[in-house]
Amino acid sequence: MTDDAYLFLLDDASARLGVPPAAVGDLACMETPAVRAWLDAQGTTATSPHLRLLPPEETAAVPEGAERLPVPLNDEELSRLRHHLTPEPIAGVEEELLAYRDCADGRDGLIGRALAAGVPPHRVVELTGVDPATVTAAAEG
């Protein structure tokens, strides 16, 4: 696994793999000379329906032979990317976890619901900022 996300090009724009970078919002990497040069070399643009982005933990899914480029994302950009890849109803629970940062009422119940819905413990920690031991305790309790 790499620490970088990957931009890559799909032959079939209708494939449901990755996220179009434009859907994630402004990404600092898209303005770098390296990305601009890579897009130019591929004869494509940042808004091409064939251009997709995957987070580091999913880069093994990039099709073999696909044109690809590793790109660094900051924590906030990476969180937005992961959110776009998350199916409902998990995405709804993740929204609650993000909102949780501003309050602590019902913490264990919310964490328990998130875990039951299939949100991985490391993602709960990332979204809430709580200690991993707290998530583990909520999972066991």
Side-chain angles (χ1 to χ4, degrees):
M1 184 170 81
T2 176
D3 290 329
D4 289 328
Y6 268 85
L7 281 174
F8 63 100
L9 290 172
L10 287 175
D11 291 334
D12 179 4
S14 67
R16 296 174 89 45
L17 178 63
V19 175
V24 181
D26 290 333
L27 298 171
C29 68
M30 297 302 290
E31 300 303 321
T32 63
V35 169
R36 292 272 182 220
W38 183 80
L39 291 171
D40 287 345
Q42 304 310 317
T44 193
T45 66
T47 58
S48 168
H50 296 273
L51 185 63
R52 302 297 169 84
L53 183 64
L54 279 174
E57 65 274 8
E58 307 241 352
T59 56
V62 176
E64 191 168 325
E67 294 295 332
R68 64 182 86 201
L69 178 71
V71 292
L73 299 180
N74 66 36
D75 290 342
E76 191 267 331
E77 292 170 336
L78 194 53
S79 182
R80 283 186 290 153
L81 172 59
R82 287 176 177 144
H83 181 71
H84 280 286
L85 288 167
T86 305
E88 289 293 337
I90 293 174
V93 175
E94 283 193 355
E95 288 293 329
E96 288 184 62
L97 290 168
L98 282 170
Y100 163 78
R101 289 181 180 206
D102 297 327
C103 69
D105 291 340
R107 176 192 71 190
D108 290 345
L110 175 58
I111 292 172
R113 281 198 333 271
L115 295 170
V119 179
H122 73 275
R123 186 78 172 129
V124 173
V125 170
E126 178 182 313
L127 291 166
T128 63
V130 299
D131 183 81
T134 301
V135 174
T136 302
E140 294 170 354

